[in-house]
Amino acid sequence: MDDLEKLEYLSLVSKICTELNNHINMNDKDMAEFIIHLAKKAKKLPKFKQLLGQNGADFPDSFMNNLFRIIQTMQPSLLEKKSKRKSVNKSLQPTQEDSSFPALCIPDGHFAEDAEKDVVVDALAELEALAPSSNLPEPEPTADDKK
């Protein structure tokens, strides 16, 4: 489990602790972790409610629904993460739609450095051409400036 996953898990535990504290005045980290474990084990709401009932939790249906929704939202299963990674790898393959916008298909960080230097040099030359010349005499002060 990498650091980001640990942080997400701790955030989920904290959220479940807050919900337990708000609804039944019980702020117990172990209970929150156990509820998360049951939700991961159940994978479906009716099974989650059944597991909670078997373990002596007499929560209202709306509270069990809310807990399950929070857990599913904040802690997606590892299978979903793996499928997302596979879909990202597939999305890197060029498709028919990509051929209509080839500039959008360039991966990040793969640019021609020489072309960039030429663009920068040309832009600076244009800016220098627009800049006022320093050889012009300074304007003489007017009557308003003397006051």
Side-chain angles (χ1 to χ4, degrees), residues 121-132:
V121 169
D122 291 343
L124 286 175
E126 288 179 23
L127 287 173
E128 287 175 355
L130 294 173

Side-chain angles (χ1 to χ4, degrees), residues 61-74:
D61 274 349
S62 61
F63 182 54
M64 288 190 280
N65 291 345
N66 191 33
L67 287 175
F68 189 75
R69 182 188 52 81
I70 289 170
I71 293 168
Q72 292 300 312
T73 303
M74 293 182 71

Side-chain angles (χ1 to χ4, degrees), residues 47-110:
K47 180 72 174 170
F48 176 66
K49 288 180 180 182
Q50 179 186 5
L51 288 174
L52 283 175
Q54 288 174 353
N55 288 290
D58 55 348
F59 301 145
D61 274 349
S62 61
F63 182 54
M64 288 190 280
N65 291 345
N66 191 33
L67 287 175
F68 189 75
R69 182 188 52 81
I70 289 170
I71 293 168
Q72 292 300 312
T73 303
M74 293 182 71
Q75 184 68 32
S77 68
L78 294 175
L79 295 175
E80 291 175 0
K81 287 183 181 180
K82 288 180 183 177
S83 67
K84 286 181 184 177
R85 288 179 186 158
K86 288 180 183 177
S87 68
V88 168
N89 290 338
K90 289 179 184 177
S91 68
L92 294 177
Q93 303 296 330
T95 63
Q96 179 67 23
E97 296 168 351
D98 294 340
S99 63
S100 60
F101 299 106
L104 297 177
C105 299
I106 300 172
D108 292 340
H110 294 86

